[in-house]
Amino acid sequence: MRCLRPVLLSLLSVLALARAEAHPHVFIDTGLTFRFDGEGRLGAVSVVWAFDDFSSMLMVEDMEMDKDGDGVLTDDEIARLTAMFSDWPEDFAGDLYLTRDGKPVALSGPLDVAVRYQQGRIVVTHIRALLDRIRPEDERIEVQVYDPTYYTFYDLVGTLEIRGRDDCRVQIEKADIAAAQRKYGDELAKVFNFLSGYVQPDGLENMAISPIDLKETLLELIAREAEFARRGRQAEIWAKMNSLIDKDVIEALYAASQADVRINLVIRGICGLRPGIAGLSENIRVKSIVGRFLEHSRIVCFGNGFGLPSKRARVFISSADWMGRNLNRRVETLIECFNETVKAQITSQVMAANMADEAQSWLLQPDGRYLRYLPAGRDDLFSCHKFFMENPSLSGRGSAGARDVPALMHSTD
């Protein structure tokens, strides 16, 4: 933004960053209004989010709104949407970032949130106040609009408005999408160079690898979920792998359990963790599924303050079991899934089926014994392997697979 007085004083650049490193799944038309106070200082930014038709439809259906399909939401439904968009996670920056002379500018959470539903699209407006107001003629200010997880594509539409001053104009700079798309390839090349030439990769942003930072990243994610629990948020961890014997990871899971994180583990082979011990691991459940298939997938899901399954969960796939040799002495990878469909299939189909399995599950007891839970008189015990055989292409079936999985969590209580 250039404030034109007798001389040129400063520049504000507004960047709309595409989700360049992964395919976007939510598309939002956004508008910005820069609000200046009576002293000519930038005090707030008004933000408009207009969600695409498909994302709007999914939200409305998931929240069981507009059941008559007339495209009109009730006052109660609008209030529920407003409450949802007002309740931001602690680590969500609202996809709006301000800097002055390269230093971050603190913004308030969403103020004056309003939601409307028009022509099949959810439109959200809110205000982000600057905690320290700025004179643009004194400092260089940049405003960036983007989703750092590359899940959402923001497109600046219309004219960016300025209120409270008539001597400024806005300059828009588009992101270098091609450069951003090369980042994943560059990081994969670093991993292969590490394998073939022992050249340690630096600056990885999209994946963690052992023996460098995979274990550290995993411990941080577990601790983060425990912090959500301490703040009264829904904290939950689901994980699936072959073996769990790393001492540091086990202690982190114990600490998370004591913070009231609900933890459900599918460990097919060796498990050095003892679940269900009062004061230590009463919130941890462990099962081993022994059946037709010897599965090797490693998955870990974090509720991210919203429980599981949830669209806001963080979902990771990995090559590593939680063992010392995998975390400390081998080259393994941990990669976060951002694709909405893949995340839904992992949480609501693959992991839900593993959690729901009764027919082939052995439950680990506090004393280290495994017991099989086979209720007498039932011939309808759910088998996740049978489910996977009958539904071999979950991706092709979309959300249908999730509806086939019973709402059942394993427990001997």
Side-chain angles (χ1 to χ4, degrees):
M1 176 183 303
R2 293 178 178 178
C3 296
L4 303 179
R5 295 197 184 278
V7 295
L8 177 66
L9 298 172
S10 72
L11 171 69
L12 169 65
S13 299
V14 182
L15 292 85
L17 300 192
R19 179 173 183 172
E21 296 170 8
H23 186 69
H25 294 279
V26 176
F27 296 84
I28 298 178
D29 291 338
T30 190
L32 301 176
T33 299
F34 301 101
R35 297 180 177 273
F36 291 85
D37 63 17
E39 298 179 13
R41 300 174 301 175
L42 180 62
V45 181
S46 297
V47 183
V48 179
W49 292 338
F51 287 80
D52 65 276
D53 296 5
F54 185 68
S55 298
S56 299
M57 179 193 70
L58 289 178
M59 280 188 278
V60 169
E61 288 188 353
D62 286 349
M63 298 181 71
E64 298 183 349
M65 298 177 175
D66 191 25
K67 293 183 178 180
D68 58 5
D70 65 353
V72 178
L73 300 185
T74 66
D75 291 343
D76 178 67
E77 290 169 339
I78 290 293
R80 287 167 56 198
L81 280 173
T82 303
M84 181 185 74
F85 283 108
S86 301
D87 183 21
W88 287 7
E90 292 287 338
D91 61 344
F92 181 52
D95 295 341
L96 182 70
Y97 302 88
L98 271 73
T99 61
R100 58 179 177 184
D101 290 336
K103 298 178 181 179
V105 175
L107 297 172
S108 72
L111 306 174
D112 298 335
V113 178
V115 179
R116 62 185 188 273
Y117 188 51
Q118 58 185 39
Q119 297 180 338
R121 302 180 69 181
I122 292 174
V123 180
V124 182
T125 61
H126 61 277
I127 295 174
R128 306 292 303 281
L130 278 70
L131 302 187
D132 185 14
R133 299 188 175 195
I134 304 171
R135 291 186 179 277
E137 58 265 37
D138 295 336
E139 299 171 278
R140 175 185 173 88
I141 305 171
E142 274 196 352
V143 180
Q144 295 180 301
V145 182
Y146 72 100
D147 174 9
T149 69
Y150 309 107
Y151 179 83
T152 304
F153 178 94
Y154 288 93
D155 189 17
L156 287 171
V157 297
T159 302
L160 301 178
E161 296 187 38
I162 298 172
R163 295 187 181 178
R165 295 186 69 152
D166 56 8
D167 57 351
C168 300
R169 67 174 182 265
V170 174
Q171 177 176 317
I172 299 175
E173 299 176 0
K174 293 293 185 179
D176 187 344
I177 296 177
Q181 288 174 331
R182 289 192 293 268
K183 289 180 68 176
Y184 263 129
D186 292 344
E187 295 196 359
L188 287 171
K190 290 180 180 180
V191 173
F192 283 108
N193 288 338
F194 188 38
L195 287 168
S196 61
Y198 301 102
V199 179
Q200 181 167 316
D202 295 321
L204 297 180
E205 297 179 6
N206 303 298
M207 66 178 69
I209 66 172
S210 62
I212 298 174
D213 62 348
L214 193 156
K215 181 176 177 178
E216 178 185 359
T217 300
L218 186 61
L219 294 176
E220 289 175 353
L221 289 166
I222 295 172
R224 184 172 180 271
E225 203 67 20
E227 183 59 27
F228 278 125
R230 283 189 284 269
R231 296 180 182 181
R233 302 290 295 270
Q234 296 183 52
E236 198 161 358
I237 298 172
W238 291 353
K240 177 184 180 297
M241 67 203 70
N242 288 338
S243 301
L244 167 57
I245 59 173
D246 183 85
K247 177 178 179 291
D248 294 331
V249 175
I250 291 173
E251 289 182 352
L253 292 171
Y254 284 154
S257 172
Q258 293 169 53
D260 286 333
V261 179
R262 293 180 57 195
I263 302 170
N264 286 278
L265 307 175
V266 180
I267 313 294
R268 191 188 186 282
I270 302 170
C271 182
L273 178 149
R274 294 290 182 92
I277 298 176
L280 178 68
S281 58
E282 65 265 38
N283 290 311
I284 304 178
R285 300 291 181 269
V286 179
K287 66 158 64 175
S288 175
I289 298 176
V290 181
R292 179 167 181 174
F293 303 120
L294 178 62
E295 297 184 65
H296 285 279
S297 58
R298 286 91 171 182
I299 298 168
V300 57
C301 308
F302 297 91
N304 198 31
F306 292 90
L308 288 168
S310 166
K311 287 185 176 181
R312 298 196 184 186
R314 297 187 67 180
V315 178
F316 296 80
I317 57 176
S318 179
S319 63
D321 286 315
W322 293 352
M323 307 173 69
R325 69 185 187 189
N326 301 89
L327 301 178
N328 302 320
R329 298 189 295 278
R330 291 181 176 177
V331 178
E332 308 270 9
T333 59
L334 176 73
I335 302 173
E336 186 167 5
C337 299
F338 296 115
N339 182 288
E340 180 183 9
T341 303
V342 171
K343 285 176 61 176
Q345 288 160 357
I346 290 174
T347 57
S348 299
Q349 296 172 349
V350 175
M351 290 301 291
N354 276 271
M355 298 298 174
D357 184 271
E358 300 168 292
Q360 301 168 128
S361 292
W362 294 75
L363 306 182
L364 181 58
Q365 306 301 301
D367 61 4
R369 295 178 301 135
Y370 284 88
L371 297 180
R372 198 170 184 186
Y373 181 59
L374 296 174
R378 285 186 55 190
D379 58 2
D380 61 342
L381 297 180
F382 180 79
S383 166
C384 69
H385 287 177
K386 182 174 183 290
F387 172 77
F388 294 141
M389 286 189 289
E390 292 177 348
N391 307 285
S393 178
L394 295 179
S395 61
R397 300 180 68 239
S399 61
R403 292 194 292 269
D404 295 338
V405 180
L408 173 68
M409 293 297 291
H410 66 282
S411 174
T412 56
D413 298 336

Coordinates of all heavy atoms in Angstrom, one line a residue, residues 300-336:
V300 N -0.5 -42.6 12.0 CA -0.8 -41.9 13.3 C -1.7 -40.7 13.0 O -1.4 -39.9 12.1 CB 0.5 -41.6 14.0 CG1 1.4 -40.6 13.2 CG2 0.2 -40.9 15.4
C301 N -2.7 -40.6 13.8 CA -3.7 -39.5 13.7 C -3.8 -38.8 15.0 O -3.9 -39.4 16.1 CB -5.1 -40.0 13.3 SG -5.1 -41.2 11.9
F302 N -3.8 -37.4 14.9 CA -3.9 -36.6 16.1 C -5.2 -35.8 16.0 O -5.4 -35.1 15.0 CB -2.7 -35.7 16.3 CG -1.4 -36.4 16.5 CD1 -0.6 -36.8 15.4 CD2 -1.0 -36.7 17.7 CE1 0.6 -37.4 15.5 CE2 0.2 -37.4 17.9 CZ 1.0 -37.8 16.8
G303 N -6.0 -35.8 17.1 CA -7.2 -35.0 17.0 C -7.1 -33.5 16.8 O -8.0 -32.9 16.4
N304 N -5.9 -33.0 17.2 CA -5.6 -31.6 17.0 C -6.6 -30.7 17.7 O -6.9 -29.6 17.3 CB -5.6 -31.3 15.5 CG -4.9 -30.0 15.1 OD1 -4.0 -29.6 15.8 ND2 -5.4 -29.4 14.1
G305 N -7.1 -31.1 18.9 CA -8.0 -30.4 19.7 C -9.5 -30.5 19.3 O -10.3 -29.9 19.9
F306 N -9.7 -31.4 18.3 CA -11.1 -31.7 17.9 C -11.6 -33.1 18.0 O -12.6 -33.5 17.5 CB -11.3 -31.2 16.4 CG -11.1 -29.7 16.3 CD1 -9.9 -29.1 16.0 CD2 -12.2 -28.9 16.4 CE1 -9.8 -27.7 15.9 CE2 -12.1 -27.5 16.3 CZ -10.9 -26.9 16.0
G307 N -10.7 -34.0 18.6 CA -11.1 -35.4 18.7 C -10.9 -36.1 17.3 O -10.5 -35.5 16.3
L308 N -11.3 -37.4 17.3 CA -11.2 -38.2 16.1 C -12.5 -39.0 15.9 O -13.1 -39.5 16.9 CB -10.0 -39.2 16.2 CG -8.6 -38.6 16.1 CD1 -7.5 -39.5 16.5 CD2 -8.3 -38.1 14.7
P309 N -12.9 -39.3 14.7 CA -12.3 -38.6 13.5 C -12.8 -37.2 13.4 O -13.9 -36.8 13.9 CB -12.9 -39.5 12.3 CG -14.2 -40.0 12.9 CD -13.9 -40.2 14.4
S310 N -12.0 -36.4 12.7 CA -12.4 -35.0 12.5 C -11.7 -34.4 11.3 O -10.6 -34.9 10.9 CB -11.9 -34.1 13.7 OG -11.9 -32.8 13.4
K311 N -12.4 -33.5 10.6 CA -11.8 -32.9 9.4 C -10.5 -32.1 9.7 O -9.7 -31.8 8.9 CB -12.8 -32.0 8.7 CG -13.8 -32.8 7.9 CD -14.7 -31.8 7.2 CE -15.8 -32.6 6.3 NZ -16.6 -31.7 5.6
R312 N -10.5 -31.7 11.0 CA -9.3 -30.8 11.4 C -8.2 -31.7 12.1 O -7.2 -31.1 12.6 CB -9.8 -29.8 12.4 CG -10.8 -28.8 11.8 CD -10.9 -27.5 12.6 NE -11.9 -26.6 12.1 CZ -12.2 -25.4 12.5 NH1 -11.5 -25.0 13.6 NH2 -13.1 -24.7 12.0
A313 N -8.3 -33.0 12.0 CA -7.3 -33.9 12.6 C -6.0 -33.7 11.7 O -6.1 -33.3 10.5 CB -7.8 -35.3 12.6
R314 N -4.9 -34.1 12.3 CA -3.7 -34.1 11.6 C -3.3 -35.6 11.4 O -3.3 -36.4 12.4 CB -2.5 -33.4 12.4 CG -2.8 -31.9 12.5 CD -1.6 -31.2 13.1 NE -0.5 -31.2 12.2 CZ 0.7 -30.6 12.5 NH1 0.9 -30.1 13.6 NH2 1.7 -30.7 11.6
V315 N -3.1 -36.0 10.2 CA -3.0 -37.4 9.8 C -1.6 -37.6 9.1 O -1.3 -36.9 8.2 CB -4.1 -37.8 8.8 CG1 -3.9 -39.3 8.4 CG2 -5.5 -37.6 9.5
F316 N -0.9 -38.6 9.6 CA 0.5 -38.9 9.1 C 0.6 -40.3 8.6 O 0.0 -41.2 9.3 CB 1.5 -38.6 10.1 CG 1.6 -37.2 10.6 CD1 0.7 -36.7 11.6 CD2 2.6 -36.3 10.1 CE1 0.8 -35.4 12.0 CE2 2.7 -35.0 10.6 CZ 1.8 -34.5 11.5
I317 N 1.3 -40.5 7.6 CA 1.7 -41.9 7.2 C 3.2 -42.0 7.3 O 3.9 -41.0 7.2 CB 1.3 -42.2 5.7 CG1 1.8 -41.2 4.7 CG2 -0.2 -42.3 5.6 CD1 1.5 -41.5 3.3
S318 N 3.7 -43.2 7.5 CA 5.1 -43.3 7.9 C 5.6 -44.7 7.4 O 4.9 -45.6 7.2 CB 5.4 -43.1 9.4 OG 6.7 -43.2 9.7
S319 N 6.9 -44.8 7.3 CA 7.6 -46.1 7.1 C 8.1 -46.7 8.4 O 8.5 -47.8 8.4 CB 8.7 -45.9 6.1 OG 9.8 -45.1 6.6
A320 N 8.1 -45.9 9.5 CA 8.8 -46.3 10.7 C 7.9 -46.9 11.7 O 6.8 -46.3 12.1 CB 9.5 -45.1 11.3
D321 N 8.3 -48.0 12.3 CA 7.7 -48.5 13.6 C 8.3 -47.6 14.6 O 9.4 -47.0 14.4 CB 8.0 -50.0 13.8 CG 7.2 -50.9 12.9 OD1 5.9 -50.6 12.8 OD2 7.7 -51.8 12.3
W322 N 7.7 -47.6 15.8 CA 8.2 -46.8 16.9 C 9.2 -47.7 17.7 O 9.0 -48.1 18.9 CB 7.1 -46.3 17.8 CG 6.3 -45.3 17.0 CD1 6.5 -44.7 15.8 CD2 5.0 -44.7 17.4 NE1 5.6 -43.9 15.4 CE2 4.6 -43.8 16.4 CE3 4.2 -44.8 18.5 CZ2 3.4 -43.1 16.5 CZ3 3.0 -44.1 18.6 CH2 2.7 -43.2 17.6
M323 N 10.4 -47.9 17.1 CA 11.4 -48.7 17.7 C 12.7 -47.9 17.6 O 12.9 -47.1 16.7 CB 11.6 -50.1 17.0 CG 10.3 -50.9 16.9 SD 10.5 -52.3 15.8 CE 11.6 -53.3 16.8
G324 N 13.7 -48.3 18.4 CA 15.0 -47.6 18.4 C 15.7 -47.7 17.1 O 16.2 -46.7 16.5
R325 N 15.6 -48.8 16.4 CA 16.3 -49.0 15.2 C 15.7 -48.2 14.1 O 16.4 -47.7 13.2 CB 16.3 -50.5 14.8 CG 15.0 -51.0 14.4 CD 15.0 -52.5 14.1 NE 13.7 -53.0 13.6 CZ 13.4 -54.3 13.5 NH1 14.3 -55.2 13.8 NH2 12.3 -54.7 13.0
N326 N 14.4 -48.0 14.1 CA 13.7 -47.2 13.1 C 13.9 -45.7 13.3 O 14.0 -44.9 12.4 CB 12.2 -47.5 13.0 CG 12.0 -49.0 12.7 OD1 11.9 -49.8 13.7 ND2 11.8 -49.3 11.5
L327 N 13.8 -45.3 14.6 CA 13.9 -43.9 14.9 C 15.3 -43.3 15.0 O 15.5 -42.1 14.9 CB 13.1 -43.6 16.2 CG 11.6 -44.0 16.2 CD1 11.0 -43.8 17.5 CD2 10.8 -43.3 15.1
N328 N 16.2 -44.2 15.3 CA 17.6 -43.7 15.6 C 18.7 -44.2 14.6 O 19.7 -43.6 14.5 CB 18.0 -44.1 17.0 CG 17.1 -43.6 18.1 OD1 16.6 -42.5 18.0 ND2 16.7 -44.4 19.1
R329 N 18.4 -45.3 13.9 CA 19.5 -45.9 13.2 C 19.2 -46.1 11.7 O 20.1 -46.5 10.9 CB 20.0 -47.2 13.8 CG 20.5 -47.0 15.2 CD 21.1 -48.3 15.7 NE 20.2 -49.4 15.9 CZ 19.4 -49.6 16.9 NH1 19.4 -48.7 17.9 NH2 18.5 -50.6 17.0
R330 N 18.0 -45.9 11.3 CA 17.6 -46.1 9.9 C 17.1 -44.8 9.3 O 16.8 -43.9 10.0 CB 16.5 -47.2 9.8 CG 16.9 -48.6 10.1 CD 15.7 -49.5 9.9 NE 16.0 -50.9 10.1 CZ 15.1 -51.9 10.1 NH1 13.8 -51.6 9.8 NH2 15.5 -53.1 10.3
V331 N 17.1 -44.8 8.0 CA 16.4 -43.6 7.3 C 15.0 -44.0 7.0 O 14.6 -44.9 6.3 CB 17.1 -43.3 5.9 CG1 16.4 -42.2 5.2 CG2 18.6 -43.0 6.2
E332 N 14.1 -43.3 7.7 CA 12.6 -43.5 7.6 C 12.0 -42.2 7.4 O 12.6 -41.1 7.6 CB 12.1 -44.2 8.9 CG 12.8 -45.4 9.4 CD 12.2 -46.7 8.8 OE1 11.3 -46.6 7.9 OE2 12.6 -47.8 9.2
T333 N 10.7 -42.2 7.0 CA 10.0 -40.9 6.7 C 8.7 -40.8 7.5 O 8.1 -41.9 7.8 CB 9.7 -40.8 5.2 OG1 8.9 -41.9 4.8 CG2 11.0 -40.7 4.4
L334 N 8.3 -39.6 7.8 CA 7.0 -39.3 8.4 C 6.4 -38.1 7.6 O 7.0 -37.1 7.5 CB 7.1 -38.9 9.8 CG 5.8 -38.5 10.6 CD1 4.9 -39.7 10.8 CD2 6.2 -37.8 11.9
I335 N 5.3 -38.4 6.9 CA 4.7 -37.4 6.0 C 3.3 -37.1 6.3 O 2.5 -38.0 6.6 CB 4.8 -37.9 4.5 CG1 6.2 -38.2 4.1 CG2 4.2 -36.9 3.6 CD1 6.4 -38.9 2.8
E336 N 2.9 -35.8 6.4 CA 1.6 -35.4 6.8 C 0.7 -35.5 5.5 O 1.1 -35.0 4.4 CB 1.5 -34.0 7.4 CG 0.2 -33.7 7.9 CD 0.2 -32.5 8.8 OE1 1.2 -31.8 9.0 OE2 -0.9 -32.1 9.4

